């Protein structure tokens, strides 16, 4: 069985005149990433490998999760191909993940994240919000064989705020 957890990067800042790839997280984005990562840490979340877009906002979101979950840097990869909005590179990178990895955590961008969870998950989600997390399991031995899986976890920051 393969377990995939997808996280859309946290809320980014438009305060600075920067290229899109270099936009940082804003204050809410940082606090949402801390909130979601702390929540899944309490649930006993574990992974075998982490893939993330190398866009500043996605990488910064991933780094907050890495710190909270104490994920070793040796199992983390930041990849420019995951700076992907259509989802083509997202699907390619997931399907080409080594098969010894069973629990994969991926940080990326919309619309790729929302399209992926709707195509491959069992629940329809109109829009995965910033720092939204969705876990899908697949009953396959190879990542290349994933098709329709079962959506198990949906965590949106607004649902954790009181």
């Amino acid at each position: 069985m393969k377990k995939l957890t997808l996280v859309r990067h946290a809320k980014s800042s438009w305060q600075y005149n920067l290229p899109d790839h270099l936009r940082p997280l804003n204050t809410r984005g940082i606090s949402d990433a801390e909130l979601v990562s702390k929540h899944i840490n309490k649930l006993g979340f574990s992974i075998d490998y982490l893939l993330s877009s190398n866009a500043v906002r996605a990488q910064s979101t991933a780094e907050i999760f890495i710190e909270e979950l104490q994920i070793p840097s040796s199992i983390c990869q930041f990849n420019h191909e995951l700076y992907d909005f259509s989802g083509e590179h997202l699907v390619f990178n997931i399907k080409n993940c080594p098969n010894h990895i069973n629990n994969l955590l991926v940080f990326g961008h919309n619309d790729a994240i929302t399209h992926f969870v709707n195509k491959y998950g069992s629940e329809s989600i109109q829009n995965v919000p910033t720092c939204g997390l969705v876990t899908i399991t697949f009953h396959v031995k190879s990542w290349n064989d994933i098709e329709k899986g079962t959506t198990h976890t949906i965590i949106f920051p607004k649902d954790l705020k009181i």
Side-chain angles (χ1 to χ4, degrees):
M1 185 167 75
K2 303 295 182 193
K3 182 172 88 171
L4 172 65
T5 300
L6 295 152
V7 180
R8 180 178 172 194
H9 67 78
K11 191 79 173 156
S12 60
S13 174
W14 291 91
Q15 180 179 357
Y16 309 101
N17 185 18
L18 294 169
D20 184 67
H21 192 269
L22 299 178
R23 284 190 298 116
L25 295 179
N26 67 16
T27 304
R28 185 181 119 199
I30 293 167
S31 65
D32 283 355
E34 290 171 347
L35 180 68
V36 174
S37 64
K38 286 179 190 311
H39 179 77
I40 66 169
N41 196 16
K42 289 177 188 172
L43 299 176
F45 186 83
S46 66
I47 65 156
D48 301 326
Y49 202 72
L50 180 148
L51 289 173
S52 176
S53 161
N54 68 351
V56 170
R57 61 194 180 273
Q59 186 165 334
S60 297
T61 304
E63 288 169 346
I64 291 169
F65 279 69
I66 289 165
E67 183 176 335
E68 176 63 34
L69 300 170
Q70 299 181 348
I71 300 169
S73 61
S74 61
I75 64 166
C76 300
Q77 179 186 354
F78 297 94
N79 184 336
H80 187 71
E81 281 189 358
L82 291 173
Y83 179 63
D84 172 30
F85 303 94
S86 70
E88 180 181 329
H89 294 289
L90 176 66
V91 171
F92 177 84
N93 277 271
I94 291 168
K95 286 194 168 205
N96 285 282
C97 187
N99 289 321
H100 71 275
I101 294 167
N102 291 315
N103 297 307
L104 178 62
L105 175 60
V106 178
F107 292 82
H109 305 268
N110 249 6
D111 293 319
I113 297 288
T114 296
H115 287 303
F116 188 98
V117 301
N118 286 316
K119 180 176 180 178
Y120 291 94
S122 59
E123 292 192 34
S124 178
I125 300 172
Q126 184 176 357
N127 179 55
V128 176
T130 52
C131 211
L133 177 149
V134 178
T135 299
I136 304 168
T137 57
F138 302 94
H139 294 282
V140 295
K141 292 183 180 180
S142 170
W143 287 102
N144 195 45
D145 294 335
I146 64 169
E147 290 181 6
K148 200 69 162 175
T150 304
T151 304
H152 285 283
T153 306
I154 301 172
I155 299 171
F156 297 163
K158 69 177 183 174
D159 299 328
L160 301 176
K161 295 176 183 177
I162 297 172

